[in-house]
Amino acid sequence: MGGKLNVSENCLDRHLGTARENKAALIFEGEPGDVRTITYKQLHFHVCRLAHIFENMGVGAGDRVAIYMPMIPEAVVAMLACARVGAVHTVVFGGFSPEALKDRINDCKAKLVITADGGWRRGKVIELKANVDKAIAGAPGVQTVIVVKRCGNPVNMVEGRDVWWKEAWAGAPNTHAAKAFDSEHPLFILYTSGSTGKPKGVLHTSAGYLLGAKLSAHYVFDLKENDRYFCSADIGWVTGHSYVVYGLLANGATVFLYEGAPNHPEPDRFWEMIDRHGLTILYTAPTAIRSFMRWGDNYVLRHRLDSLRLLGTVGEPINPEAWMWYQKMIGKKRCPIVDTWWQTETGSIMITPLPGVIPTKPGSGTLPFFGVVPKIVDSDGNEAPRNSGGKLVLTRPYPSMLRTLWGDDARYKKQYYSEFPAHPDYYFTGDGARQDKDGYFWIVGRIDDVLNISGHRIGTAEIESALVSHPKVAEAAAVGRPDELKGQALVVFVTLKAGHETSDALKEELRNHVGREIGSLAKPDTIRFAAGLPKTRSGKIMRRLLKELATSGEIKGDTTTLEDFSIITALKADEE
Ligand code: 7RM
């Protein structure tokens, strides 16, 4: 405490007057193929200007700003301009529905929303501004909306509330004296799924977060001055915050930003861009790698990929087969792979190899990063023997750890620090893992009620509450089933209120309903209607049994606490 800094100054001004001043900070490629290069000096101009615009609007230290944008440079400018004036950004992934956006805006009481008319995805326009309008209909606290013109699709501008980015731009000075904020000043809130129906607003602060992001980016990607770094994560996820924006810009790196889908116009878009822009580092998710494998080697073999020198993965456990393919087909056996384990809550990479230093094993994140002290423990918090599974905890604090859940300190303590009463200082990750004889960590996956679908965290409770908000649904239970492509697929069991008939049309209606409530990423892969759900005598849905049924079609596990066994027989008979 007591130290002061400005995060945006540390990402921008510190490079001015050095050889990096005219270096590309961002190389942007839109899905239609438009390319823009923005140097550190130019990015600084843009951020300074927007900082003035914010201040003229009365948006300053501590105010919350929601960012709902495509992957375009203005999104990065918006984040850094918030940091510059001490405003707290909450970036909401563009794939979330108006309903989900509204909840997040209301939870943190954002008074400014920054968006675009639309964004390109597989040749189509995602209508972001229209979604913002719907969200704001239920979020009366929003005073201003700044709109970037990206796609030129028609939008409705509300007089006195909505302003075009370009018009707000005119006249604002392009230098801005950055004020220093306390090291613990809030930097951003990022909503993430937990084990209850309501997403949690993970709060990160300034100095510790930036240190974690910067130091880890430097060592894990072994950054060199001439690197051109490509992380395919959207800035709506924590990976985009730490390893597109803050960690890389603080290091003065060149970041490649791509707006669209990896298979547009063809499934070789990434490889084509890597060659054309001479990209040197690729950081992506296992689910993307499995898609590339499925699309076929020919799309990869059309390209040289000889600029690449380092590969990374994040988001979920990588199966050894995908790891080997990545190493051979993309890295040509020349490039080290860093499998990086971390979370929205940890803010920066926690378990990872250091390339060229730590020997890797396909599927393992290997060893902890500097200052990180993880342990595998049993239910009492005692260290588990090597090679036996347990719960993954972080036993010591580190700079980039989350500070609280926005507006809910009690939930923060309960969620993360109450799992082991004998060790109130152990942070519980929610992951199951084991350590092998060499001390290497192998993450198995979530052991709480959180699913990891294509690297996206989704709480079963969120899906269930979306389903039961449909007028025909009585009860719902969501479980994960292993899926070759997505890691986990989403299976939901639904019982209907009396008087409603099951049908394929209703299944489609329910899928779309979840899409509207949360976003397309949460649409169930399989919907199964049931006459009843298996419950304990105290009325708790036994998801464990449903998960077994969804996975193997059988239930062999312990059913002694089940209240009514006939339900299981009926469920099995109902199989599609
Ligand atoms: C960065 C991010 C966090 C959850 C985490 C794990 C899983 C992430 C890995 C991984 C195995 C990895 N943040 N996870 N990285 N599992 N190996 N390298 O993903 O908050 O969205 O998700 O993702 O279960 O708890 S997140």
Side-chain angles (χ1 to χ4, degrees):
M1 290 289 258
K4 286 181 184 295
L5 81 165
N6 184 291
V7 170
S8 126
E9 185 172 49
N10 272 277
C11 292
L12 300 169
D13 308 50
R14 68 175 297 146
H15 308 306
L16 304 184
T18 76
R20 286 183 182 146
E21 179 172 280
N22 294 315
K23 173 176 175 176
L26 301 176
I27 301 173
F28 165 71
E29 178 157 325
E31 194 183 73
D34 49 321
V35 173
R36 261 198 285 168
T37 298
I38 299 174
T39 65
Y40 272 94
K41 201 169 173 178
Q42 291 167 331
L43 188 59
H44 177 257
F45 279 178
H46 288 292
V47 171
C48 286
R49 244 194 205 179
L50 192 59
H52 280 292
I53 295 166
F54 286 175
E55 285 172 347
N56 292 341
M57 289 172 168
V59 173
D63 289 333
R64 273 82 63 205
V65 175
I67 298 177
Y68 186 66
M69 290 177 91
M71 279 289 278
I72 56 177
E74 288 84 350
V76 179
V77 173
M79 291 166 77
L80 292 172
C82 286
R84 197 158 190 99
V85 303
V88 185
H89 60 67
T90 185
V91 184
V92 179
F93 172 57
F96 278 118
S97 68
E99 189 66 23
L101 174 62
K102 180 197 79 183
D103 290 345
R104 286 157 175 76
I105 290 174
N106 285 334
D107 187 76
C108 71
K109 303 195 175 62
K111 61 178 186 185
L112 169 65
V113 177
I114 307 178
T115 189
D117 51 359
W120 292 106
R121 187 85 192 170
R122 267 186 214 101
K124 291 209 188 83
V125 176
I126 309 280
E127 305 232 356
L128 296 169
K129 175 59 166 66
N131 286 351
V132 167
D133 292 342
K134 285 185 204 148
I136 293 183
V142 174
Q143 296 166 4
T144 314
V145 182
I146 300 180
V147 188
V148 177
K149 187 170 261 176
R150 166 68 189 142
C151 300
N153 51 307
V155 296
N156 173 39
M157 296 293 279
V158 176
E159 182 79 38
R161 186 195 75 186
D162 301 351
V163 293
W164 288 105
W165 173 289
K166 261 258 172 71
E167 285 167 18
W169 214 235
N174 54 21
T175 58
H176 177 275
K179 250 208 307 250
F181 295 100
D182 192 88
S183 55
E184 284 300 312
H185 187 76
L187 180 64
F188 66 84
I189 300 166
L190 188 56
Y191 287 88
T192 187
S193 293
S195 44
T196 72
K198 204 171 146 262
K200 311 176 286 193
V202 168
L203 181 75
H204 282 287
T205 57
S206 299
Y209 169 78
L210 189 65
L211 174 65
K214 181 182 180 188
L215 197 77
S216 56
H218 176 83
Y219 284 104
V220 175
F221 302 124
D222 187 24
L223 291 174
K224 306 280 188 248
E225 201 57 53
N226 291 326
D227 271 324
R228 291 173 162 218
Y229 164 96
F230 177 23
C231 166
S232 67
D234 192 278
I235 48 145
W237 309 115
V238 74
T239 305
H241 285 59
S242 302
Y243 300 109
V244 174
V245 184
Y246 293 109
L248 277 289
L249 299 181
N251 277 297
T254 295
V255 175
F256 177 73
L257 207 64
Y258 171 58
E259 177 187 29
N263 55 353
H264 190 84
E266 293 226 44
D268 64 344
R269 182 66 183 259
F270 276 20
W271 324 127
E272 192 269 325
M273 291 191 301
I274 286 170
D275 275 9
R276 188 155 40 78
H277 293 284
L279 307 180
T280 59
I281 301 173
L282 174 64
Y283 190 36
T284 193
T287 185
I289 298 169
R290 291 189 298 265
S291 297
F292 299 139
M293 289 171 73
R294 180 171 290 194
W295 292 336
D297 294 358
N298 282 340
Y299 288 108
V300 181
L301 293 171
R302 286 181 190 170
H303 306 279
R304 300 173 59 91
L305 302 183
D306 54 356
S307 56
L308 285 174
R309 65 166 190 82
L310 181 69
L311 304 175
T313 70
V314 59
E316 48 174 327
I318 185 165
N319 46 313
E321 194 196 350
W323 195 101
M324 300 302 287
W325 184 90
Y326 198 34
Q327 191 202 39
K328 177 166 159 245
M329 290 303 297
I330 308 304
K332 314 292 180 192
K333 299 197 173 159
R334 287 182 294 105
C335 306
I337 297 179
V338 288
D339 173 352
T340 62
W341 177 89
W342 59 295
Q343 306 179 299
T344 304
E345 291 87 342
T346 69
S348 65
I349 293 168
M350 295 283 109
I351 299 178
T352 179
L354 295 179
V357 177
I358 307 289
T360 51
K361 304 184 190 184
S364 169
T366 73
L367 298 168
F369 187 65
F370 312 144
V372 179
V373 190
K375 264 194 189 143
I376 312 284
V377 297
D378 63 21
S379 296
D380 298 324
N382 300 317
E383 192 157 4
R386 288 287 159 95
N387 261 323
S388 68
K391 299 176 175 180
L392 178 66
V393 297
L394 302 176
T395 64
R396 302 280 307 147
Y398 50 90
S400 67
M401 62 198 288
L402 82 163
R403 297 303 196 262
T404 189
L405 294 176
W406 182 258
D408 203 345
D409 254 330
R411 186 173 172 200
Y412 163 71
K413 289 187 188 125
K414 181 164 180 292
Q415 179 81 41
Y416 302 108
Y417 295 99
S418 70
E419 188 77 12
F420 311 99
H423 299 276
D425 53 338
Y426 280 11
Y427 164 88
F428 178 45
T429 63
D431 278 348
R434 67 182 172 85
Q435 249 183 311
D436 68 14
K437 62 176 187 352
D438 301 320
Y440 277 38
F441 287 84
W442 297 77
I443 312 295
V444 179
R446 303 291 305 195
I447 45 182
D448 52 10
D449 290 325
V450 175
L451 305 178
N452 191 330
I453 297 175
S454 299
H456 296 150
R457 260 171 84 165
I458 303 173
T460 55
E462 264 171 82
I463 312 233
E464 291 163 7
S465 86
L467 282 165
V468 297
S469 75
H470 188 280
K472 294 181 184 167
V473 173
E475 274 193 309
V479 298
R481 131 167 78 72
D483 181 86
E484 233 179 77
L485 202 59
K486 300 171 146 195
Q488 278 186 306
L490 174 58
V491 181
V492 299
F493 294 83
V494 171
T495 64
L496 297 178
K497 289 183 184 158
H500 297 293
E501 294 289 318
T502 64
S503 67
D504 285 345
L506 182 55
K507 281 188 184 174
E508 205 40 40
E509 190 178 319
L510 293 179
R511 278 173 53 78
N512 291 332
H513 179 73
V514 175
R516 273 193 305 275
E517 289 290 309
I518 305 175
S520 299
L521 73 165
K523 282 186 178 175
D525 296 282
T526 305
I527 296 184
R528 291 176 65 163
F529 292 117
L533 299 177
K535 291 191 187 154
T536 61
R537 258 152 249 154
S538 62
K540 275 196 174 165
I541 296 175
M542 296 179 75
R543 288 187 189 70
R544 175 175 58 80
L545 300 183
L546 293 171
K547 185 175 169 186
E548 227 189 309
L549 186 65
T551 302
S552 64
E554 293 292 329
I555 292 183
K556 296 205 176 93
D558 181 11
T559 52
T560 48
T561 54
L562 191 63
E563 187 238 2
D564 175 2
F565 194 82
S566 70
I567 285 191
I568 295 292
T569 323
L571 272 171
K572 281 209 272 194
D574 276 351
E575 227 160 300
E576 306 165 295

